Amino acid sequence: MDNKNLFIFSTNMKRLIINFLAFSSFTIMLLIIVILSTAYYGRKNFDFSLPKSHTKLLVGDSHPAHAIDPDIVSDLTNLSRDGDGYFYINMKVRTLIDANPQIDTLILAYSFIDVTLKRDAWFRDQVVLRSKTTKRFFLFNMQDLWDVVKTDPVEVLVNLPQSIPHSLMNPRRGKTVLGGYSKLTSVRNVGEKLVLNPLAEEEEEKGGGLFDEEPKFSVDHVYYLHEIYKYCESKNVQLVLLNLPLLPYRVVGFAPYKPQYLKVAAELENAILIDHSAFYIPDSGFADANHLNALGSKIYSEYLEKNGFGN
Amino acid sequence: MVFNSVEFGLFFLGVFILYWFVFNKTAKAQNIILLLASVLFYVLTDWRFISLLAVSGIFNFVLAKKTAKAEDESITRKLYFYSTILVNIGILLYFKYFNFFIDSFVTLFNYSDSVDISFTPFSILVPLGISFFTFQLISYQFDVDNEEIEPTDDLIGFFTYIAYFPKILSGPIERMGKFLPQIQKKREFDYHLAVDGARQFLWGLFKKIVIADNCTPVVNAIFNDYGDMSGSTLLIGSFFYSISVYADFSGFSDMACGVSKMFGIRITNNFAFPFFSTNISQFWKKWHISLTTWMMDYVNTPLSFILRRYKKTGLIISIIVTFLLVGMWHGPKWTYIVFGVLHGLYFVPIILGNIKLSDGVMAEGKMLPSFMEIVKMSLLFVLVALTTIVFKAENIGDAFKYFKIVFSSSIIAVPKFPISISRIILGLPVLVLFEWFMRSKEYGLQFNNETVSKPLRWVMYLGIIFIIAVYRGGQQEFIYFQY
């Protein structure tokens, strides 16, 4: 028999394997180089500088993004962003404090449910991994990369090339990439909602799917809260944990998680804990069950300005 | 398990190694590994109906032999043949159309009579790939009865034909006469065929991941809230949907053909650049080719023969019935039926006007199409896109409402899309350019190795891989899995 026809050592099969390995190795290497070099380009050319007078940096999720108007509260930059978990906040804080030595206070918005297991989805969920990892890759260090790869290697590695256009475009897009104040104009219509769907309202009062009925506590979210704290300590930046105004039934709904949150916060010895969850905002100041609208934001921001946040 | 998943990559690698390195001594051994892999593939995708596939297969295997053994034109032969066809159609009707027929009957009854009957649909799960494998079995019975092929004694080969994993979920509807001869002889590893397969897979991946998966969210957002959109947005939404269906289904078909070529087996190319057509007849010769040829061979040709005495009327009836069935093949919805009938109606002017149509490759031998060809292609594309509104709509009422907005004064408004279309805009020119320049080939990346140098080919593959990696959309289910 002709040896060339014995498949295991056939010349054709060998040729295919060699070509395939050569081509795929070259492609993977090239992709890695492009991903890393564009991330480097994005970071190098991004303007992280904040106004010299801004000594306070506010970060958090959608709640502070809609709640605190930096045009009212002086010397404050609001770079909060919807669905930003502490993992992504951590890298944002690191980079911004490094680039802006004038920052002496980091205000980290919180709510008691930040210690629930559901919050870990803001780090582990596939959609979040795909979206936030690609958009924020230019802020990653090797440890961050390793942390997300460990979480879901396939999802992260397969989607990482999508960071290329983001890394290239982010310097042009500017700080909106990191977050910012966003004014909501809608008004929560309590009466209509109650009439149309009383069950939904009842469900919402229980927490609206924000947490499990049986308390389960976060691992990742709390870990990165500690990381943020450690970083602030190392840079002599005061960490302020700020719980923002909520609807009264939300205050009641989130109460079961308060002891656990306080326990976690107590470990952050030098952090200042402020709880404004019961701060009165009329119903017309809420855009929905969780977020302040322009009116609510104005009332609350003015209160902050008068009471110390604005120097 | 879908082709564009890591799981499939590992599955394929395992089967490839076993097929070419372990079970490579005889055709039978190769078929056994392909059959085992196909069963595993089906079970991993949805294990619940593997028994249906097995029972249906054995029934057809046995009955085809009995049909062939019976004397020509004898009652026994007819009994075997028609009972097999009826059972196959019965299975399909039960799983796919039972609720639809009962529901339509009840609606009709309630409409024509003042009695109010209510009907709660049965909870019937539709087996994966049922339309594809049932149509294959029916074609096998027809071909045996017509003595175009001999019934096979090779049970493993027969089941490999039915369950072959590259085509079980979304076709093509392969013919036994083309498939079996290929697997009856031992397959030798063919480097060029394997490379061709890998390239075709890559092109299919591009179409699915970059074009279809980026179009689908935009299309869904437009169709879900069509009442709030302008006519221009809705019209472009229908264009995107047509492109999305094409990229999704032809992308899957390219991947299926590509995988199969890597095992040394050629299966039918289901698409031949259908949007590079200037008339509806040409379009259907290039769109879902295996279904169209099936319908032409087993429905249209016999029906137009029966109706030949009615001349053009007979031809029109047979073409409309054929396309009605093409529409209905997609599933138990009136929208699919209307879609099919509309396509049938598009043939009427051609039949009535005795118009001679060209079937070949568009602008063959030329770099670019003529102005008239561009006009005809564009017109055909719009006509096809309009029918996809019906195809995609939840019901006929929704389709009419959609049309009403499309043909309102807002058709001249600047379109506003609910989701960014930047990735579609980036991907589409690549799709159109590659497919246009490769329109005489099987797929968009089928370069001629003699005219395109290896470094240039590698640069192009690399470019396509980069586009896939960077601009991939969120994974969407294959549209044709539901059929």
Side-chain angles (χ1 to χ4, degrees):
Chain A
M1 190 186 286
D2 182 358
N3 271 344
K4 282 181 183 175
N5 286 332
L6 287 171
F7 293 128
I8 198 150
F9 293 120
S10 88
T11 320
N12 278 339
M13 185 60 90
K14 237 189 264 176
R15 189 177 161 199
L16 181 84
I17 292 168
I18 290 168
N19 275 349
F20 176 77
L21 289 178
F23 182 74
S24 40
S25 316
F26 179 70
T27 308
I28 290 167
M29 294 238 300
L30 199 63
L31 266 171
I32 292 170
I33 291 168
V34 175
I35 290 167
L36 294 179
S37 55
T38 49
Y40 177 77
Y41 166 87
R43 195 185 177 96
K44 203 80 185 150
N45 291 285
F46 195 92
D47 179 14
F48 290 106
S49 67
L50 303 175
K52 287 285 172 221
S53 63
H54 283 205
T55 54
K56 297 176 191 67
L57 174 64
L58 168 68
V59 284
D61 54 24
S62 58
H63 202 174
H66 301 304
I68 300 178
D69 184 348
D71 288 343
I72 297 174
V73 184
S74 53
D75 298 342
L76 176 133
T77 301
N78 183 350
L79 287 178
S80 310
R81 168 51 57 87
D82 303 13
D84 256 6
Y86 288 156
F87 172 75
Y88 295 98
I89 290 174
N90 180 35
M91 66 182 70
K92 192 156 68 176
V93 163
R94 250 176 15 215
T95 316
L96 286 162
I97 291 178
D98 269 352
N100 296 279
Q102 78 274 19
I103 293 173
D104 58 21
T105 309
L106 176 74
I107 304 164
L108 178 59
Y110 76 92
S111 77
F112 295 130
I113 58 164
D114 281 345
V115 291
T116 58
L117 187 61
K118 278 208 167 177
R119 273 291 189 267
D120 284 0
W122 285 7
F123 174 61
R124 292 182 173 273
D125 183 78
Q126 284 199 340
V127 176
V128 175
L129 276 177
R130 193 182 308 143
S131 159
K132 298 253 177 194
T133 300
T134 53
K135 285 177 185 156
R136 301 277 178 81
F137 187 66
F138 75 121
L139 298 178
F140 273 50
N141 61 25
M142 288 313 284
Q143 184 60 46
D144 298 328
L145 182 58
W146 177 236
D147 286 355
V148 287
V149 168
K150 271 191 303 185
T151 306
D152 191 341
V154 172
E155 191 64 21
V156 171
L157 295 175
V158 164
N159 286 296
L160 213 49
Q162 293 193 55
S163 69
I164 295 169
H166 290 295
S167 295
L168 290 172
M169 294 297 290
N170 282 344
R172 273 175 54 191
R173 289 177 184 146
K175 291 191 193 69
T176 49
V177 168
L178 304 176
Y181 173 65
S182 150
K183 197 180 278 188
L184 292 178
T185 50
S186 56
V187 180
R188 178 172 178 266
N189 192 339
V190 187
E192 183 188 29
K193 210 167 183 182
L194 277 169
V195 173
L196 285 177
N197 197 349
L199 279 178
E201 191 74 5
E202 193 183 313
E203 189 59 32
E204 202 177 273
E205 285 188 22
K206 285 182 191 163
L210 289 172
F211 50 83
D212 302 301
E213 282 188 22
E214 283 294 308
K216 289 176 194 161
F217 298 114
S218 150
V219 178
D220 306 320
H221 216 51
V222 169
Y223 171 79
Y224 289 107
L225 175 61
H226 278 90
E227 289 295 298
I228 294 168
Y229 173 71
K230 274 193 254 170
Y231 186 78
C232 287
E233 286 293 288
S234 72
K235 295 282 176 180
N236 286 322
V237 171
Q238 177 63 56
L239 176 65
V240 177
L241 300 168
L242 176 65
N243 197 2
L244 299 164
L246 293 169
L247 283 163
Y249 73 77
R250 276 274 192 258
V251 177
V252 176
F254 291 178
Y257 289 91
K258 189 173 177 178
Q260 181 66 18
Y261 190 87
L262 295 179
K263 200 173 140 194
V264 170
E267 290 164 10
L268 318 175
E269 285 174 11
N270 296 323
I272 297 170
L273 187 73
I274 300 173
D275 183 3
H276 282 168
S277 57
F279 181 90
Y280 176 71
I281 301 276
D283 264 358
S284 55
F286 281 90
D288 56 36
N290 300 308
H291 304 106
L292 298 187
N293 60 21
L295 173 68
S297 150
K298 184 171 178 289
I299 295 169
Y300 184 57
S301 301
E302 283 173 354
Y303 169 80
L304 289 179
E305 176 66 6
K306 278 183 199 153
N307 289 277
F309 269 92
N311 295 324
Chain B
M1 201 186 327
V2 290
F3 289 159
N4 54 325
S5 66
V6 175
E7 293 81 11
F8 180 77
L10 295 172
F11 170 83
F12 170 78
L13 191 66
V15 179
F16 187 84
I17 290 168
L18 288 172
Y19 183 81
W20 288 118
F21 295 99
V22 182
F23 292 83
N24 60 347
K25 303 292 184 288
T26 61
K28 195 173 180 181
Q30 288 178 320
N31 293 347
I32 287 172
I33 190 64
L34 283 185
L35 180 57
L36 290 175
S38 300
V39 171
L40 180 66
F41 180 82
Y42 196 86
V43 168
L44 287 174
T45 310
D46 189 348
W47 56 271
R48 289 170 297 188
F49 290 102
I50 190 72
S51 51
L52 175 75
L53 198 65
V55 171
S56 181
I58 288 171
F59 175 77
N60 278 276
F61 180 80
V62 173
L63 267 285
K65 290 213 295 187
K66 288 197 177 295
T67 305
K69 269 186 195 161
E71 269 183 47
D72 280 358
E73 303 296 323
S74 67
I75 292 178
T76 324
R77 188 181 179 106
K78 280 181 182 161
L79 196 68
Y80 283 137
F81 172 68
Y82 285 113
S83 60
T84 322
I85 298 295
L86 279 176
V87 167
N88 282 323
I89 292 175
I91 290 172
L92 195 60
L93 287 179
Y94 172 73
F95 282 106
K96 260 186 109 164
Y97 302 99
F98 184 79
N99 280 327
F100 172 72
F101 284 127
I102 301 285
D103 191 42
S104 301
F105 173 76
V106 167
T107 309
L108 188 72
F109 193 81
N110 284 341
Y111 182 74
S112 59
D113 204 6
S114 55
V115 183
D116 189 27
I117 306 174
S118 64
F119 165 65
T120 311
F122 292 100
S123 172
I124 301 171
L125 293 168
V126 181
L128 270 178
I130 188 168
S131 307
F132 295 99
F133 69 74
T134 309
F135 269 46
Q136 284 188 162
L137 291 169
I138 293 172
S139 75
Y140 175 59
Q141 297 299 340
F142 267 108
D143 292 349
V144 167
D145 186 53
N146 292 339
E147 294 177 358
E148 284 173 24
I149 55 168
E150 288 287 318
T152 180
D153 293 324
D154 176 6
L155 191 62
I156 291 165
F158 178 77
F159 270 102
T160 308
Y161 160 67
I162 303 170
Y164 187 43
F165 72 89
K167 65 175 178 59
I168 183 74
L169 298 181
S170 272
I173 302 162
E174 201 62 45
R175 303 293 176 87
M176 179 66 107
K178 184 186 170 190
F179 190 85
L180 199 64
Q182 292 189 76
I183 63 166
Q184 277 175 332
K185 54 182 190 281
K186 186 181 150 195
R187 276 126 278 160
E188 307 286 343
F189 182 75
D190 179 341
Y191 173 80
H192 295 289
L193 189 62
V195 170
D196 192 40
R199 282 193 305 206
Q200 192 163 5
F201 187 89
L202 179 64
W203 186 243
L205 204 61
F206 165 78
K207 285 200 273 190
K208 167 64 184 157
I209 289 184
V210 178
I211 307 295
D213 286 355
N214 280 314
C215 275
T216 303
V218 179
V219 168
N220 287 343
I222 292 174
F223 274 77
N224 289 344
D225 287 323
Y226 68 89
D228 300 331
M229 314 264 169
S230 66
S232 53
T233 311
L234 296 191
L235 185 64
I236 296 173
S238 73
F239 295 168
F240 284 159
Y241 183 56
S242 307
I243 293 163
S244 167
V245 174
Y246 167 67
D248 190 279
F249 193 16
S250 72
F252 177 91
S253 296
D254 277 337
M255 286 190 261
C257 289
V259 167
S260 191
K261 280 177 183 173
M262 286 186 259
F263 292 107
I265 299 167
R266 286 178 182 276
I267 53 175
T268 306
N269 238 355
N270 237 348
F271 290 84
F273 316 109
F275 288 121
F276 299 144
S277 304
T278 49
N279 60 68
I280 196 70
S281 162
Q282 202 178 36
F283 174 84
W284 277 102
K285 281 175 184 159
K286 298 173 173 186
W287 179 280
H288 202 170
I289 296 166
S290 63
L291 175 68
T292 318
T293 48
W294 194 101
M295 287 289 183
M296 287 297 151
D297 290 351
Y298 305 118
V299 178
N300 186 262
T301 307
L303 196 59
S304 44
F305 183 75
I306 292 165
L307 300 172
R308 65 190 180 283
R309 79 171 79 151
Y310 302 105
K311 295 184 178 161
K312 282 184 180 175
T313 313
L315 277 177
I316 289 169
I317 291 169
S318 61
I319 205 84
I320 288 176
V321 170
T322 305
F323 276 94
L324 184 147
L325 291 175
V326 167
M328 209 169 161
W329 174 89
H330 291 88
K333 277 177 79 178
W334 283 104
T335 49
Y336 295 148
I337 294 172
V338 173
F339 164 83
V341 171
L342 283 174
H343 275 269
L345 290 173
Y346 283 170
F347 280 83
V348 174
I350 298 170
I351 296 168
L352 290 177
N354 273 335
I355 301 168
K356 292 270 176 249
L357 301 166
S358 60
D359 283 342
V361 175
M362 167 76 64
E364 197 165 14
K366 290 189 283 179
M367 175 83 105
L368 296 170
S370 67
F371 176 72
M372 273 317 289
E373 281 170 333
I374 292 173
V375 170
K376 284 179 183 173
M377 268 194 289
S378 309
L379 193 64
L380 182 75
F381 177 74
V382 174
L383 285 174
V384 171
L386 289 176
T387 64
T388 62
I389 293 171
V390 186
F391 190 82
K392 169 83 175 159
E394 277 299 309
N395 52 55
I396 303 292
D398 271 359
F400 270 110
K401 285 179 200 158
Y402 195 106
F403 276 122
K404 212 174 156 187
I405 303 172
V406 169
F407 294 112
S408 69
S409 57
S410 66
I411 197 166
I412 52 166
V414 177
K416 273 188 192 162
F417 300 99
I419 300 176
S420 165
I421 59 163
S422 57
R423 288 180 175 209
I424 306 174
I425 300 297
L426 281 164
L428 263 183
V430 180
L431 173 77
V432 175
L433 279 176
F434 272 88
E435 296 223 323
W436 175 258
F437 287 110
M438 292 292 150
R439 66 194 181 281
S440 59
K441 308 277 185 182
E442 289 174 28
Y443 58 92
L445 275 185
Q446 201 174 35
F447 303 119
N448 183 342
N449 290 0
E450 281 155 23
T451 52
V452 184
S453 66
K454 190 171 180 175
L456 187 58
R457 289 200 307 269
W458 277 39
V459 166
M460 295 216 224
Y461 305 150
L462 206 61
I464 295 294
I465 290 171
F466 260 71
I467 293 172
I468 291 172
V470 175
Y471 294 108
R472 68 196 297 262
Q475 190 160 357
Q476 310 286 336
E477 197 176 57
F478 281 98
I479 295 171
Y480 267 67
F481 274 11
Q482 59 188 298
Y483 308 133

